[in-house]
Short mmCIF file of all heavy atoms in Angstrom, two decimals:
data_model
loop_
_atom_site.label_atom_id
_atom_site.label_comp_id
_atom_site.label_asym_id
_atom_site.label_seq_id
_atom_site.Cartn_x
_atom_site.Cartn_y
_atom_site.Cartn_z
N THR O 125 102.95 54.19 50.07
CA THR O 125 102.83 54.35 51.52
C THR O 125 102.66 53.02 52.24
O THR O 125 102.46 52.98 53.44
CB THR O 125 101.62 55.23 51.85
OG1 THR O 125 100.45 54.66 51.27
CG2 THR O 125 101.82 56.64 51.31
N ASN O 126 102.73 51.92 51.48
CA ASN O 126 102.54 50.61 52.10
C ASN O 126 103.85 49.83 52.18
O ASN O 126 103.85 48.61 52.17
CB ASN O 126 101.50 49.80 51.29
CG ASN O 126 101.90 49.63 49.83
OD1 ASN O 126 102.78 50.33 49.33
ND2 ASN O 126 101.26 48.71 49.13
N VAL O 127 104.96 50.54 52.26
CA VAL O 127 106.28 49.91 52.23
C VAL O 127 106.79 49.72 53.65
O VAL O 127 106.91 50.68 54.41
CB VAL O 127 107.27 50.78 51.43
CG1 VAL O 127 108.62 50.09 51.34
CG2 VAL O 127 106.72 51.07 50.04
N LEU O 128 107.08 48.49 53.99
CA LEU O 128 107.67 48.19 55.29
C LEU O 128 109.20 48.18 55.15
O LEU O 128 109.73 48.10 54.05
CB LEU O 128 107.20 46.81 55.78
CG LEU O 128 105.73 46.72 56.16
CD1 LEU O 128 105.39 45.30 56.63
CD2 LEU O 128 105.37 47.73 57.22
N PRO O 129 109.92 48.26 56.27
CA PRO O 129 111.38 48.21 56.19
C PRO O 129 111.86 46.94 55.50
O PRO O 129 111.30 45.86 55.68
CB PRO O 129 111.81 48.25 57.65
CG PRO O 129 110.70 48.94 58.36
CD PRO O 129 109.46 48.52 57.65
N TYR O 130 112.92 47.10 54.74
CA TYR O 130 113.46 46.00 53.93
C TYR O 130 113.95 44.86 54.81
O TYR O 130 114.24 45.04 56.00
CB TYR O 130 114.61 46.51 53.07
CG TYR O 130 115.85 46.88 53.87
CD1 TYR O 130 116.91 45.98 54.03
CD2 TYR O 130 115.96 48.13 54.48
CE1 TYR O 130 118.03 46.31 54.77
CE2 TYR O 130 117.08 48.46 55.23
CZ TYR O 130 118.11 47.55 55.37
OH TYR O 130 119.22 47.88 56.11
N ILE O 131 114.04 43.70 54.20
CA ILE O 131 114.67 42.55 54.86
C ILE O 131 115.62 41.90 53.86
O ILE O 131 115.19 41.46 52.78
CB ILE O 131 113.65 41.49 55.32
CG1 ILE O 131 112.60 42.10 56.24
CG2 ILE O 131 114.37 40.35 56.05
CD1 ILE O 131 111.54 41.10 56.68
N TRP O 132 116.89 41.87 54.22
CA TRP O 132 117.84 41.16 53.38
C TRP O 132 117.60 39.66 53.43
O TRP O 132 116.99 39.14 54.38
CB TRP O 132 119.27 41.43 53.87
CG TRP O 132 119.81 42.77 53.50
CD1 TRP O 132 119.50 43.52 52.38
CD2 TRP O 132 120.80 43.52 54.21
NE1 TRP O 132 120.22 44.68 52.38
CE2 TRP O 132 121.03 44.72 53.48
CE3 TRP O 132 121.53 43.31 55.38
CZ2 TRP O 132 121.95 45.68 53.89
CZ3 TRP O 132 122.43 44.27 55.80
CH2 TRP O 132 122.64 45.45 55.06
N HIS O 133 118.11 38.95 52.41
CA HIS O 133 118.16 37.49 52.50
C HIS O 133 119.24 37.10 53.51
O HIS O 133 120.05 37.93 53.90
CB HIS O 133 118.50 36.88 51.14
CG HIS O 133 117.44 37.09 50.11
ND1 HIS O 133 116.11 37.22 50.42
CD2 HIS O 133 117.53 37.18 48.76
CE1 HIS O 133 115.41 37.39 49.30
NE2 HIS O 133 116.25 37.37 48.29
N GLY O 134 119.26 35.85 53.88
CA GLY O 134 120.22 35.41 54.88
C GLY O 134 120.96 34.15 54.46
O GLY O 134 120.66 33.51 53.43
N LEU O 135 121.94 33.83 55.27
CA LEU O 135 122.75 32.61 55.07
C LEU O 135 122.87 31.90 56.42
O LEU O 135 122.71 32.50 57.47
CB LEU O 135 124.17 32.97 54.62
CG LEU O 135 124.37 33.72 53.32
CD1 LEU O 135 125.81 34.20 53.23
CD2 LEU O 135 124.05 32.79 52.15
N ASP O 136 123.20 30.62 56.33
CA ASP O 136 123.59 29.93 57.56
C ASP O 136 125.08 30.21 57.73
O ASP O 136 125.93 29.61 57.04
CB ASP O 136 123.32 28.43 57.41
CG ASP O 136 123.73 27.66 58.66
OD1 ASP O 136 124.32 28.26 59.58
OD2 ASP O 136 123.47 26.44 58.71
N THR O 137 125.41 31.16 58.58
CA THR O 137 126.81 31.56 58.68
C THR O 137 127.67 30.52 59.39
O THR O 137 128.89 30.70 59.48
CB THR O 137 126.93 32.92 59.41
OG1 THR O 137 126.32 32.81 60.70
CG2 THR O 137 126.27 34.02 58.60
N LYS O 138 127.07 29.45 59.86
CA LYS O 138 127.89 28.34 60.36
C LYS O 138 128.44 27.55 59.17
O LYS O 138 129.47 26.87 59.30
CB LYS O 138 127.06 27.42 61.27
CG LYS O 138 126.63 28.11 62.57
CD LYS O 138 125.97 27.14 63.54
CE LYS O 138 124.59 26.72 63.05
NZ LYS O 138 123.65 27.87 63.02
N VAL O 139 127.78 27.63 58.05
CA VAL O 139 128.24 26.96 56.83
C VAL O 139 128.96 27.95 55.92
O VAL O 139 130.03 27.66 55.38
CB VAL O 139 127.04 26.32 56.08
CG1 VAL O 139 127.48 25.80 54.73
CG2 VAL O 139 126.41 25.23 56.93
N TRP O 140 128.37 29.09 55.76
CA TRP O 140 128.95 30.13 54.89
C TRP O 140 129.91 30.99 55.73
O TRP O 140 129.54 32.00 56.33
CB TRP O 140 127.84 30.97 54.27
CG TRP O 140 127.08 30.20 53.24
CD1 TRP O 140 125.95 29.47 53.46
CD2 TRP O 140 127.42 30.03 51.87
NE1 TRP O 140 125.57 28.85 52.29
CE2 TRP O 140 126.44 29.19 51.30
CE3 TRP O 140 128.45 30.50 51.06
CZ2 TRP O 140 126.47 28.81 49.95
CZ3 TRP O 140 128.47 30.14 49.72
CH2 TRP O 140 127.49 29.30 49.17
N ARG O 141 131.13 30.51 55.78
CA ARG O 141 132.18 31.14 56.57
C ARG O 141 133.51 30.75 55.94
O ARG O 141 133.57 29.87 55.08
CB ARG O 141 132.09 30.67 58.04
CG ARG O 141 131.83 29.18 58.26
CD ARG O 141 133.08 28.40 58.41
NE ARG O 141 132.84 26.99 58.71
CZ ARG O 141 133.76 26.05 58.60
NH1 ARG O 141 134.99 26.34 58.18
NH2 ARG O 141 133.49 24.79 58.90
N PRO O 142 134.60 31.40 56.34
CA PRO O 142 135.89 31.07 55.74
C PRO O 142 136.29 29.61 56.02
O PRO O 142 135.96 29.05 57.06
CB PRO O 142 136.86 32.04 56.42
CG PRO O 142 136.01 33.17 56.85
CD PRO O 142 134.68 32.59 57.21
N TYR O 143 137.00 29.02 55.05
CA TYR O 143 137.50 27.66 55.18
C TYR O 143 139.00 27.66 54.99
O TYR O 143 139.56 28.49 54.29
CB TYR O 143 136.84 26.74 54.13
CG TYR O 143 135.39 26.42 54.41
CD1 TYR O 143 134.38 27.26 53.96
CD2 TYR O 143 135.04 25.29 55.14
CE1 TYR O 143 133.04 26.97 54.23
CE2 TYR O 143 133.70 24.98 55.41
CZ TYR O 143 132.71 25.84 54.95
OH TYR O 143 131.40 25.56 55.22
N ARG O 144 139.66 26.68 55.62
CA ARG O 144 141.09 26.49 55.39
C ARG O 144 141.27 25.93 54.00
O ARG O 144 140.37 25.29 53.43
CB ARG O 144 141.69 25.54 56.41
CG ARG O 144 141.59 25.97 57.85
CD ARG O 144 142.42 25.02 58.73
NE ARG O 144 142.11 23.63 58.44
CZ ARG O 144 141.15 22.93 59.05
NH1 ARG O 144 140.38 23.50 59.97
NH2 ARG O 144 140.95 21.66 58.74
N GLN O 145 142.47 26.10 53.48
CA GLN O 145 142.72 25.60 52.13
C GLN O 145 142.53 24.09 52.05
O GLN O 145 141.99 23.58 51.07
CB GLN O 145 144.15 25.98 51.69
CG GLN O 145 144.41 25.58 50.24
CD GLN O 145 145.77 26.03 49.74
OE1 GLN O 145 146.33 27.02 50.21
NE2 GLN O 145 146.31 25.31 48.77
N ASP O 146 142.97 23.37 53.07
CA ASP O 146 142.83 21.91 52.96
C ASP O 146 141.35 21.49 52.95
O ASP O 146 141.01 20.42 52.44
CB ASP O 146 143.58 21.23 54.12
CG ASP O 146 143.00 21.59 55.48
OD1 ASP O 146 143.03 22.79 55.83
OD2 ASP O 146 142.51 20.68 56.19
N GLU O 147 140.48 22.35 53.49
CA GLU O 147 139.05 22.01 53.49
C GLU O 147 138.42 22.24 52.12
O GLU O 147 137.34 21.72 51.84
CB GLU O 147 138.31 22.87 54.52
CG GLU O 147 138.66 22.54 55.97
CD GLU O 147 137.94 23.47 56.94
OE1 GLU O 147 138.13 24.70 56.84
OE2 GLU O 147 137.19 22.97 57.79
N THR O 148 139.10 23.02 51.28
CA THR O 148 138.52 23.35 49.98
C THR O 148 139.26 22.71 48.81
O THR O 148 138.90 22.93 47.65
CB THR O 148 138.51 24.87 49.78
OG1 THR O 148 139.85 25.36 49.75
CG2 THR O 148 137.71 25.57 50.86
N ASP O 149 140.27 21.90 49.13
CA ASP O 149 141.06 21.31 48.04
C ASP O 149 140.20 20.47 47.10
O ASP O 149 140.34 20.53 45.88
CB ASP O 149 142.20 20.44 48.62
CG ASP O 149 143.38 21.29 49.06
OD1 ASP O 149 143.43 22.48 48.66
OD2 ASP O 149 144.25 20.77 49.80
N ALA O 150 139.33 19.68 47.67
CA ALA O 150 138.50 18.80 46.84
C ALA O 150 137.58 19.62 45.94
O ALA O 150 137.41 19.31 44.75
CB ALA O 150 137.68 17.86 47.73
N ALA O 151 136.99 20.67 46.50
CA ALA O 151 136.11 21.53 45.70
C ALA O 151 136.90 22.20 44.59
O ALA O 151 136.43 22.34 43.46
CB ALA O 151 135.44 22.57 46.60
N ALA O 152 138.11 22.63 44.93
CA ALA O 152 138.95 23.30 43.94
C ALA O 152 139.27 22.37 42.78
O ALA O 152 139.21 22.74 41.61
CB ALA O 152 140.24 23.79 44.60
N ARG O 153 139.61 21.14 43.14
CA ARG O 153 139.94 20.17 42.08
C ARG O 153 138.73 19.92 41.19
O ARG O 153 138.83 19.87 39.97
CB ARG O 153 140.43 18.87 42.68
CG ARG O 153 141.88 18.89 43.11
CD ARG O 153 142.38 17.46 43.36
NE ARG O 153 141.60 16.78 44.38
CZ ARG O 153 141.83 16.89 45.70
NH1 ARG O 153 142.82 17.67 46.15
NH2 ARG O 153 141.08 16.24 46.56
N SER O 154 137.58 19.77 41.80
CA SER O 154 136.38 19.47 41.00
C SER O 154 136.03 20.64 40.09
O SER O 154 135.41 20.45 39.05
CB SER O 154 135.20 19.13 41.91
OG SER O 154 134.71 20.30 42.56
N ALA O 155 136.44 21.84 40.49
CA ALA O 155 136.15 23.03 39.67
C ALA O 155 137.24 23.31 38.65
O ALA O 155 137.13 24.25 37.87
CB ALA O 155 135.97 24.24 40.57
N GLY O 156 138.30 22.50 38.69
CA GLY O 156 139.39 22.75 37.76
C GLY O 156 140.29 23.89 38.21
O GLY O 156 141.11 24.39 37.43
N PHE O 157 140.14 24.31 39.45
CA PHE O 157 141.00 25.40 39.96
C PHE O 157 142.39 24.86 40.23
O PHE O 157 142.58 23.67 40.53
CB PHE O 157 140.40 25.98 41.25
CG PHE O 157 139.12 26.77 41.04
CD1 PHE O 157 138.28 27.02 42.12
CD2 PHE O 157 138.76 27.27 39.80
CE1 PHE O 157 137.10 27.75 41.96
CE2 PHE O 157 137.59 27.99 39.62
CZ PHE O 157 136.75 28.22 40.71
N GLN O 158 143.37 25.76 40.17
CA GLN O 158 144.75 25.39 40.46
C GLN O 158 145.32 26.34 41.50
O GLN O 158 144.97 27.52 41.52
CB GLN O 158 145.60 25.44 39.18
CG GLN O 158 145.20 24.38 38.18
CD GLN O 158 146.02 24.48 36.89
OE1 GLN O 158 146.85 25.38 36.74
NE2 GLN O 158 145.77 23.55 35.99
N PRO O 159 146.21 25.83 42.35
CA PRO O 159 146.74 26.67 43.44
C PRO O 159 147.45 27.92 42.95
O PRO O 159 147.40 28.96 43.59
CB PRO O 159 147.71 25.74 44.18
CG PRO O 159 147.30 24.36 43.79
CD PRO O 159 146.73 24.46 42.42
N ASP O 160 148.16 27.81 41.80
CA ASP O 160 148.93 28.94 41.33
C ASP O 160 148.20 29.75 40.26
O ASP O 160 148.78 30.61 39.60
CB ASP O 160 150.27 28.47 40.75
CG ASP O 160 150.07 27.45 39.64
OD1 ASP O 160 148.94 26.93 39.49
OD2 ASP O 160 151.04 27.18 38.89
N ALA O 161 146.92 29.49 40.09
CA ALA O 161 146.14 30.20 39.08
C ALA O 161 145.25 31.24 39.74
O ALA O 161 145.07 31.27 40.96
CB ALA O 161 145.28 29.22 38.28
N PHE O 162 144.70 32.12 38.90
CA PHE O 162 143.66 33.04 39.34
C PHE O 162 142.34 32.38 38.98
O PHE O 162 142.00 32.23 37.81
CB PHE O 162 143.81 34.41 38.65
CG PHE O 162 142.87 35.46 39.17
CD1 PHE O 162 143.04 36.00 40.43
CD2 PHE O 162 141.80 35.92 38.40
CE1 PHE O 162 142.18 36.97 40.92
CE2 PHE O 162 140.93 36.90 38.87
CZ PHE O 162 141.12 37.42 40.14
N ASN O 163 141.61 31.96 40.01
CA ASN O 163 140.44 31.11 39.82
C ASN O 163 139.16 31.92 39.95
O ASN O 163 138.88 32.51 40.99
CB ASN O 163 140.45 29.98 40.86
CG ASN O 163 141.72 29.15 40.76
OD1 ASN O 163 141.98 28.56 39.72
ND2 ASN O 163 142.50 29.14 41.82
N VAL O 164 138.39 31.91 38.88
CA VAL O 164 137.15 32.71 38.83
C VAL O 164 135.94 31.78 38.82
O VAL O 164 135.89 30.82 38.04
CB VAL O 164 137.13 33.61 37.57
CG1 VAL O 164 135.81 34.38 37.49
CG2 VAL O 164 138.32 34.58 37.60
N LEU O 165 134.99 32.10 39.67
CA LEU O 165 133.73 31.34 39.73
C LEU O 165 132.59 32.20 39.22
O LEU O 165 132.45 33.37 39.62
CB LEU O 165 133.44 30.92 41.17
CG LEU O 165 132.04 30.34 41.45
CD1 LEU O 165 131.84 29.01 40.71
CD2 LEU O 165 131.83 30.13 42.96
N ILE O 166 131.79 31.63 38.33
CA ILE O 166 130.55 32.29 37.90
C ILE O 166 129.41 31.33 38.20
O ILE O 166 129.28 30.29 37.56
CB ILE O 166 130.55 32.63 36.40
CG1 ILE O 166 131.82 33.40 36.01
CG2 ILE O 166 129.30 33.45 36.06
CD1 ILE O 166 131.92 33.67 34.51
N ALA O 167 128.61 31.66 39.21
CA ALA O 167 127.45 30.84 39.58
C ALA O 167 126.20 31.63 39.24
O ALA O 167 125.58 32.25 40.10
CB ALA O 167 127.49 30.49 41.07
N GLN O 168 125.87 31.68 37.98
CA GLN O 168 124.76 32.49 37.47
C GLN O 168 123.93 31.65 36.52
O GLN O 168 124.47 30.83 35.78
CB GLN O 168 125.30 33.71 36.70
CG GLN O 168 126.12 34.67 37.56
CD GLN O 168 125.26 35.44 38.50
OE1 GLN O 168 124.34 36.14 38.09
NE2 GLN O 168 125.53 35.32 39.79
N ALA O 169 122.67 31.90 36.48
CA ALA O 169 121.80 31.21 35.54
C ALA O 169 122.18 31.58 34.12
O ALA O 169 122.67 32.68 33.86
CB ALA O 169 120.34 31.56 35.80
N ASN O 170 121.97 30.66 33.21
CA ASN O 170 122.23 30.93 31.80
C ASN O 170 121.03 31.70 31.24
O ASN O 170 120.17 31.16 30.55
CB ASN O 170 122.44 29.62 31.04
CG ASN O 170 122.83 29.85 29.60
OD1 ASN O 170 122.73 30.96 29.07
ND2 ASN O 170 123.29 28.80 28.94
N GLN O 171 120.96 32.97 31.61
CA GLN O 171 119.87 33.84 31.20
C GLN O 171 120.44 35.12 30.62
O GLN O 171 121.53 35.56 31.02
CB GLN O 171 118.97 34.20 32.39
CG GLN O 171 118.24 33.04 32.99
CD GLN O 171 117.50 33.46 34.26
OE1 GLN O 171 117.77 34.52 34.84
NE2 GLN O 171 116.57 32.63 34.70
N GLU O 172 119.68 35.72 29.75
CA GLU O 172 120.15 36.94 29.12
C GLU O 172 120.45 38.03 30.14
O GLU O 172 121.42 38.79 29.99
CB GLU O 172 119.06 37.43 28.15
CG GLU O 172 119.48 38.58 27.25
CD GLU O 172 118.34 39.00 26.34
OE1 GLU O 172 117.44 38.17 26.06
OE2 GLU O 172 118.35 40.16 25.91
N ARG O 173 119.65 38.09 31.18
CA ARG O 173 119.81 39.16 32.17
C ARG O 173 121.10 39.04 32.97
O ARG O 173 121.46 39.95 33.71
CB ARG O 173 118.61 39.18 33.12
CG ARG O 173 118.42 37.95 33.95
CD ARG O 173 117.19 38.09 34.86
NE ARG O 173 117.42 39.00 35.94
CZ ARG O 173 117.90 38.68 37.14
NH1 ARG O 173 118.18 37.43 37.42
NH2 ARG O 173 118.08 39.59 38.07
N LYS O 174 121.80 37.91 32.86
CA LYS O 174 123.03 37.72 33.65
C LYS O 174 124.28 38.18 32.91
O LYS O 174 125.37 38.13 33.45
CB LYS O 174 123.18 36.24 34.04
CG LYS O 174 122.05 35.74 34.94
CD LYS O 174 122.03 36.47 36.28
CE LYS O 174 121.02 35.84 37.24
NZ LYS O 174 121.03 36.49 38.55
N HIS O 175 124.12 38.60 31.64
CA HIS O 175 125.21 39.25 30.89
C HIS O 175 126.42 38.34 30.71
O HIS O 175 127.58 38.77 30.90
CB HIS O 175 125.61 40.57 31.55
CG HIS O 175 124.46 41.49 31.73
ND1 HIS O 175 123.71 41.97 30.68
CD2 HIS O 175 123.89 41.99 32.86
CE1 HIS O 175 122.74 42.73 31.15
NE2 HIS O 175 122.82 42.76 32.46
N TRP O 176 126.19 37.14 30.26
CA TRP O 176 127.29 36.22 29.99
C TRP O 176 128.23 36.75 28.89
O TRP O 176 129.46 36.64 29.03
CB TRP O 176 126.74 34.84 29.61
CG TRP O 176 126.32 34.05 30.81
CD1 TRP O 176 125.09 33.97 31.36
CD2 TRP O 176 127.16 33.24 31.62
NE1 TRP O 176 125.09 33.16 32.45
CE2 TRP O 176 126.35 32.69 32.63
CE3 TRP O 176 128.52 32.89 31.57
CZ2 TRP O 176 126.86 31.82 33.61
CZ3 TRP O 176 129.02 32.04 32.54
CH2 TRP O 176 128.19 31.51 33.54
#
Side-chain angles (χ1 to χ4, degrees):
Chain O
T125 56
N126 57 345
V127 183
L128 291 180
Y130 69 96
I131 304 178
W132 283 330
H133 294 331
L135 299 168
D136 179 354
T137 57
K138 294 187 289 295
V139 172
W140 289 92
R141 43 93 176 164
Y143 288 87
R144 299 189 311 271
Q145 185 175 333
D146 63 298
E147 292 177 301
T148 63
D149 280 345
R153 280 195 301 275
S154 73
F157 290 162
Q158 293 178 357
D160 57 346
F162 187 71
N163 302 299
V164 177
L165 169 65
I166 308 176
Q168 298 287 302
N170 185 347
Q171 295 174 344
E172 189 180 336
R173 63 180 288 269
K174 297 296 187 178
H175 305 300
W176 280 94

